[in-house]
Structure formats: C-alpha cells, structure tokens
Amino acid sequence: MSSEPTPAELADRVARAVLAVPGVHDLHGGVLGEVATYLPGRRVTGVRLRDGDTQVHLVLSWGAPITATTDEVRARVAAIVPGTVHVAVEDIAAPGADPGTP
C-alpha cells in the first residue's frame, strides 16, 4: 500500500532533481522571493507547487546550454509531479561561482 507524497516530500524531491541537472547552479526565489512552496516552519525556494501546475525558477551555471538544460529540468520534474511544468531562468551565475552564490 502506497500513500500520496506530502507537499513537503514533493517539493523536496523536485528541488533535489532540479539541482542534480548539469548546468543548474541553484534555485531562484523570484524578484521578491515569492516563488516557493510554503510549508510549516520552512519553504522550498524556487519551486512552486499548485494543482496541475509546477513552477521552477533557476540560476544556470555560466556557459550552460539554456534550452538543453531547461528541457532536462522540465523532463525530470514532469517525472515527479503531474501536470504542466513551467521553467524560468532568472539568472546566470558568474564564472566559477560556488552554488548558493550568484
């Protein structure tokens, strides 16, 4: 017997899958930090889960191919959550930047 994953489990799975894609530097919270899945006591920045609609906002690594990277992100997220997956590139990390640093 399997149970439905919680929103927290889904958001965490999506974030891990996205961050594992080559060329993804980090997740991005949007202009005002509004792109997130809000959970009790925390939030998953850069991932917004809604019924039938998932948004992922990214910071790409310098030199990453935009189309190939976003296509891979979309495919990996679609394997986790049902519905439409929207991917937005918010920024490009500086050459040699460590993850978590713009």
Side-chain angles (χ1 to χ4, degrees):
M1 178 170 129
S2 67
S3 62
E4 293 268 329
T6 66
E9 291 167 338
L10 277 178
D12 289 337
R13 285 178 58 197
V14 167
R16 281 192 307 272
V18 169
L19 292 170
V21 173
V24 173
H25 181 77
D26 208 350
L27 290 161
H28 193 284
V31 176
L32 301 173
E34 72 281 5
V35 179
T37 299
Y38 294 89
L39 303 165
R42 69 183 182 100
R43 65 188 194 155
V44 179
T45 300
V47 176
R48 181 181 288 158
L49 300 175
R50 295 182 177 169
D51 289 336
D53 184 66
T54 300
Q55 297 176 11
V56 178
H57 290 235
L58 308 171
V59 177
L60 294 184
S61 300
W62 184 264
I66 295 171
T67 302
T69 305
T70 56
D71 286 349
E72 181 66 19
V73 166
R74 189 174 292 106
R76 290 191 189 192
V77 173
I80 298 169
V81 295
T84 305
V85 177
H86 303 278
V87 179
V89 176
E90 295 279 357
D91 204 355
I92 307 290
D98 292 329
T101 305

